[in-house]
Amino acid sequence: MKVIADYDVCEANAVCAGLAPEVFDVDDDDNLHILLPNPPAEVLDRVRHAVRSCPKAALSLEED
């Protein structure tokens, strides 16, 4: 599973970073960083929740 971000849509609300901080980070300049583009299986449920919770729908998951 690969995490995809649409950086043109992302507003850096950091909802994803709050739900899965090992995968998502928002820096001091309000830029989203995907720390683990291919997250391990043990965090996929939280990553899916973070993707669904994005207020701008800027995140998606892609099958590898």
Side-chain angles (χ1 to χ4, degrees), residues 12-55:
N13 292 303
V15 172
C16 56
L19 294 170
E22 62 278 285
V23 177
F24 304 99
D25 181 56
V26 176
D27 66 21
D28 293 337
D29 294 323
D30 288 336
N31 295 306
L32 172 66
H33 300 277
I34 300 176
L35 306 174
L36 296 172
N38 298 95
E42 59 268 14
V43 298
L44 277 180
D45 284 343
R46 285 190 290 124
V47 171
R48 285 185 183 103
H49 181 62
V51 168
R52 287 190 310 267
S53 299
C54 178

